Amino acid sequence: MEKGDMAGIFTPANIAAMKTAGLRSLAYRLRTELGVECWHWNPQGHWSDERRHQGYWMSEATPTAPIQLSNGYRLPRRGDTIDQANNEGYSRLDDGDLHTFWKSNPYLDRYYTHESNALHPQWILVDLGKPRPVDAIRIFWAEPYATRFCVEYWRTADGETNQSIDDTFDTNGWHTFPHGLVEHGTGGSALMPLCKKPVVVRLVRIWMTESSERAPKGATDVRDGLGYAVREVQIGWLDRHGRLHDEVHHVPNRHQTLVYVSSTDPWHQWKDRDANVEQPGFDLVKNSGLSYDLPMLVPVGLLYDTPENAVAELRWLETRGIHIKCVELGEEPDGQYVSPEDYGALFVQWATAIHRFDPHLPLVGPGFQTELQDVLYWPNASGDRSWVHRFLVYLKQHGHLDDLRYFSFEWYPYDNVCTKDTERQLLRDPLLIRRTLARWRAEGVPKTVAWIVSEYGYSAFAGRPEADRPAALLNAEIVGMFLSLGADTAYLYGYAPQPLMDELQCNSWGNLALFLSDDRHRIKQPLATYYAAWLLTHVWVSPPQARILLYAARCRVERSTKRVLTAFAAKHPDGHWAIMLLNKDAKRAIAVKLVWHTKEGDREAKGPFEIWQLSSANYLWHPHGAESYAAPDTPPLHFVVKAPSQIILPPTSLTVVGCAPEAAKGTAYP
């Protein structure tokens, strides 16, 4: 959250309201990993260069003062122009300052991986924005520099050049410039002609496979001499006087030419603290009571951190008595274009360090962002583009596949929150879920590895559907679908009270939240997502910690080709059933009958039925921009149907039907 928000969120009134939703087990999310920052999970700690308050940070592992807040620290050796957080940073490769530099992650050097650097190539990709003439490059190397590298451009077989980095992973198109290969580099900043005649291209890539392993003068840390370091990159064309006309825009902000890099050195200084963004400290979370003292999914920094800091965090948590369900290593490497082998190498190092401390801690990865399509990467030597398959192969080859206990990912299926056709989105979600999990199993995720949905919600963007009933239905179905397909846990995102946002600037105001709040996080009213969560935790699978059995349920809707009806059947320890029913039809009510499948054949359930129902009768959203609100806004309707009549499901409604044990007596399956 932004600076000062935690004080507004963690109030007694908010915590009391949040607890009524019935959610219990928590997942702590790691925002710093998305912002190219190193996480000081404990503000107390020490630097590798303590005298200068710089270097590689390790938070204090012994609990002392309570940790109320934590911050990330921006990385001054950053290479990426953009990130997945607030986009307040920029690349040092085209900031116009020869005193700054990008440096790759030293933990991907052979010193730590114990394998050839050629197996973990580090790269710089420059997106010129549109095709431009290129026949020369000047790389201002720092130390360590690349002794073997090549400069490449992107062009497909049909001549296409105007593509972004995302387009390059599923199509062959990288070509080395005629004079782009350097096998005995000596650093420096000499102008490097690439070809006789300019090639019109948009994407240029520097691919580095061997390092000088030469540290800057006066360096005392072995990590200073590992990887690759570059101060600035100029790309363009030579005029007849041999002068380079640089097509790269060099400025120290996000308006610079777009640059992507393979990794970033987590080295930083005391002055790099990102004071504008804060995360709740572990003590703040524990003392709030929101965790109910249950085991929690906890993250450790991976892409921009050190294994020592990760182990210190886990040691602190265990000493503090904070129970750990499992440990997620990093977050969203796919969205940051990390190669599967690089993530695998870091995973192995972190797993080794963590299990040296505690051999029994279950590890989780890779923490994907929502992926509706294949997660692809540039092909390896055998032509394999599958990120998941290559990551799993890497773990297996290095004897660490068993360390992966859970495969984690986020699920926000819809970027388009501006649409009014939410029915279509609701109808499509089950197919997306099934396809995604089936694809990952086919790519090699063992059946012994369970799924963890580390975040879920309607969209990664804020908009109206999240405040309206479609989000309530989608969230309920996500839980039912993933648990039915073998997921261990699904964590709802949006616990904290939040104000409305129009994030995509399309007059679609909403947010991922259980409660609508003002700008100071004071609760104004519950949202539909709250009522959906309440129905799941208080009716469908209540009481908590009980052994609830899920059974398959099939739905058939007469005179409809759309799968507008979904059902999930849960059997409780006392023998009674709770059937969750979703009517996704935005206009039509559906009358349903419950039919039990028995050994003697199908028979209709006779009731009585206890009904809880979320529909327009108790929740109706009124879109009025920033002043949008729900009215009525009351708890789900609760009533009893005594006769063996049909149950009416209103349009866009979520219903839970309770059946006494006698209603299913003698059945084999519901």
Side-chain angles (χ1 to χ4, degrees):
M1 300 295 177
E2 294 181 0
K3 183 178 180 179
D5 277 352
M6 291 305 166
I9 290 171
F10 282 82
T11 64
N14 282 355
I15 291 170
M18 292 158 71
K19 282 186 171 182
T20 64
L23 303 172
R24 295 168 65 86
S25 181
L26 295 182
Y28 190 108
R29 311 308 301 141
L30 191 55
R31 183 266 184 197
T32 52
E33 202 85 334
L34 309 181
V36 193
E37 297 182 353
C38 179
W39 183 31
H40 289 214
W41 56 266
N42 185 350
Q44 305 300 317
H46 61 272
W47 303 89
S48 59
D49 184 352
E50 190 64 34
R51 185 173 66 87
R52 295 184 177 88
H53 299 290
Q54 64 183 21
Y56 300 91
W57 172 261
M58 188 168 79
S59 287
E60 177 58 53
T62 302
T64 52
I67 303 174
Q68 299 298 321
L69 297 174
S70 65
N71 293 93
Y73 280 63
R74 297 187 178 99
L75 302 183
R77 297 175 176 178
R78 170 174 170 155
D80 288 304
T81 296
I82 58 175
D83 58 49
Q84 295 179 298
N86 291 358
N87 253 342
E88 293 178 344
Y90 57 89
S91 175
R92 274 35 174 201
L93 287 162
D94 58 342
D95 64 351
D97 186 351
L98 289 177
H99 294 95
T100 65
F101 60 91
W102 161 79
K103 184 172 176 292
S104 65
N105 192 334
Y107 290 95
L108 296 173
D109 186 88
R110 62 181 178 178
Y111 181 91
Y112 289 105
T113 64
H114 307 296
E115 52 194 359
S116 169
N117 282 341
L119 297 176
H120 296 278
Q122 299 300 292
W123 49 265
I124 298 166
L125 189 150
V126 181
D127 184 343
L128 298 173
K130 64 180 181 180
R132 300 175 186 273
V134 173
D135 63 9
I137 188 171
R138 178 179 279 119
I139 305 172
F140 293 84
W141 293 101
E143 291 181 325
Y145 54 84
T147 58
R148 180 180 176 85
F149 67 95
C150 64
V151 183
E152 304 167 312
Y153 64 93
W154 176 262
R155 173 175 286 172
T156 62
D158 60 2
E160 175 62 49
T161 60
N162 193 19
Q163 293 179 303
S164 68
I165 182 174
D166 296 285
D167 301 319
T168 66
F169 294 112
D170 61 356
T171 308
N172 291 321
W174 286 111
H175 306 275
T176 301
F177 282 96
H179 306 300
L181 177 62
V182 175
E183 299 187 273
H184 303 287
T186 57
S189 58
L191 181 64
M192 180 177 169
L194 296 172
C195 48
K196 293 182 178 180
K197 184 179 179 180
V199 180
V200 178
V201 293
R202 172 179 168 179
L203 304 179
V204 176
R205 187 175 72 174
I206 305 170
W207 190 262
M208 296 161 280
T209 53
E210 198 57 60
S211 170
S212 67
E213 297 185 346
R214 178 184 296 178
K217 185 178 180 180
T220 58
D221 193 310
V222 66
R223 289 167 286 194
D224 290 331
L226 303 179
Y228 310 90
V230 176
R231 299 188 183 279
E232 206 81 5
V233 175
Q234 297 175 347
I235 301 172
W237 51 278
L238 298 173
D239 63 20
R240 59 191 182 91
H241 301 292
R243 291 176 299 202
L244 178 65
H245 291 255
D246 188 10
E247 297 286 359
V248 177
H249 184 48
H250 302 259
V251 290
N253 55 54
R254 61 183 179 181
H255 299 295
Q256 62 187 192
T257 293
L258 198 58
V259 177
Y260 303 89
V261 295
S262 51
S263 68
T264 295
D265 188 347
W267 187 100
H268 57 288
Q269 300 173 296
W270 64 270
K271 63 182 180 181
D272 295 319
R273 184 168 74 97
D274 184 355
N276 296 324
V277 177
E278 59 189 26
Q279 296 190 183
F282 283 122
D283 281 305
L284 180 62
V285 176
K286 177 180 173 61
N287 295 335
S288 72
L290 290 173
S291 70
Y292 292 90
D293 208 30
L294 294 173
M296 181 166 58
L297 187 158
V298 299
V300 294
L302 181 88
L303 301 180
Y304 312 110
D305 217 318
T306 69
E308 294 81 12
N309 196 31
V311 172
E313 175 196 336
L314 301 176
R315 188 184 303 276
W316 187 96
L317 289 169
E318 291 197 356
T319 303
R320 198 58 136 191
I322 296 177
H323 304 299
I324 302 172
K325 172 183 172 64
C326 47
V327 182
E328 189 171 38
L329 306 188
E331 189 166 340
E332 300 187 19
D334 53 331
Q336 301 179 73
Y337 306 110
V338 177
S339 82
E341 289 77 19
D342 284 0
Y343 180 80
L346 297 175
F347 189 102
V348 167
Q349 293 174 58
W350 266 244
T352 300
I354 290 170
H355 283 160
R356 191 180 297 124
F357 160 65
D358 186 340
H360 304 294
L361 279 176
L363 303 184
V364 183
F368 276 163
Q369 62 183 9
T370 301
E371 294 289 0
L372 303 180
Q373 306 297 327
D374 290 338
V375 186
L376 302 177
Y377 202 75
W378 297 312
N380 60 11
S382 61
D384 188 357
R385 296 178 183 271
S386 169
W387 200 104
V388 172
H389 181 253
R390 285 165 53 179
F391 165 57
L392 296 170
V393 167
Y394 188 93
L395 293 187
K396 185 175 182 179
Q397 290 176 342
H398 292 76
H400 283 267
L401 185 57
D402 289 342
D403 285 333
L404 182 67
R405 289 281 297 278
Y406 300 97
F407 190 99
S408 64
F409 57 95
E410 301 170 3
W411 192 256
Y412 300 104
Y414 299 114
D415 290 344
N416 182 13
V417 290
C418 302
T419 182
K420 294 181 179 179
D421 189 6
T422 53
E423 178 188 298
R424 183 178 181 183
Q425 293 179 331
L426 290 175
L427 291 173
R428 188 166 176 246
D429 189 59
L431 179 62
L432 296 177
I433 292 174
R434 285 195 176 92
R435 282 180 176 175
T436 299
L437 297 189
R439 183 175 67 246
W440 286 338
R441 286 292 188 216
E443 290 177 326
V445 178
K447 292 183 178 179
T448 54
V449 175
W451 311 113
I452 278 189
V453 188
S454 50
E455 297 178 27
Y456 73 86
Y458 201 99
S459 175
F461 302 99
R464 173 182 170 175
E466 295 160 346
D468 208 344
R469 296 196 312 281
L473 270 65
L474 188 71
N475 287 346
E477 184 172 58
I478 286 172
V479 173
M481 285 293 300
F482 278 121
L483 293 184
S484 299
L485 294 171
D488 177 271
T489 319
Y491 293 96
L492 174 67
Y493 187 88
Y495 211 169
Q498 295 286 0
L500 297 176
M501 293 174 58
D502 182 21
E503 191 168 7
L504 298 185
Q505 302 297 307
C506 59
N507 197 29
S508 179
W509 292 78
N511 211 332
L512 289 167
L514 297 179
F515 298 96
L516 176 62
S517 76
D518 61 17
D519 290 337
R520 296 173 63 184
H521 301 283
R522 294 175 299 192
I523 292 175
K524 298 168 68 174
Q525 63 179 143
L527 294 173
T529 49
Y530 169 80
Y531 295 124
W534 188 92
L535 281 172
L536 265 64
T537 60
H538 287 77
V539 183
W540 186 54
V541 289
S542 177
Q545 309 272 58
R547 177 178 167 84
I548 309 292
L549 301 179
L550 297 185
Y551 285 79
R554 293 188 293 272
C555 303
R556 181 170 60 88
V557 182
E558 295 179 356
R559 298 185 301 278
S560 177
T561 58
K562 299 184 294 185
R563 296 186 176 183
V564 295
L565 183 62
T566 306
F568 299 96
K571 186 177 182 181
H572 291 233
D574 62 1
H576 88 272
W577 291 84
I579 315 297
M580 180 166 65
L581 297 163
L582 288 75
N583 178 11
K584 305 175 189 177
D585 196 307
K587 298 179 180 179
R588 186 168 68 122
I590 299 178
V592 301
K593 295 187 297 183
L594 297 183
V595 178
W596 303 97
H597 176 64
T598 72
K599 294 178 180 179
E600 291 75 28
D602 294 349
R603 64 182 178 84
E604 184 178 343
K606 301 299 183 183
F609 304 127
E610 192 172 7
I611 310 292
W612 291 262
Q613 195 166 78
L614 171 63
S615 70
S616 60
N618 75 290
Y619 189 93
L620 186 63
W621 187 251
H622 298 270
H624 295 292
E627 304 302 321
S628 300
Y629 65 96
D633 184 12
T634 60
L637 302 181
H638 182 205
F639 53 94
V640 175
V641 176
K642 295 183 179 180
S645 60
Q646 297 172 325
I647 301 169
I648 306 300
L649 308 181
T652 316
S653 64
L654 173 61
T655 303
V656 179
V657 180
C659 304
E662 307 82 61
K665 189 175 181 180
T667 62
Y669 306 100

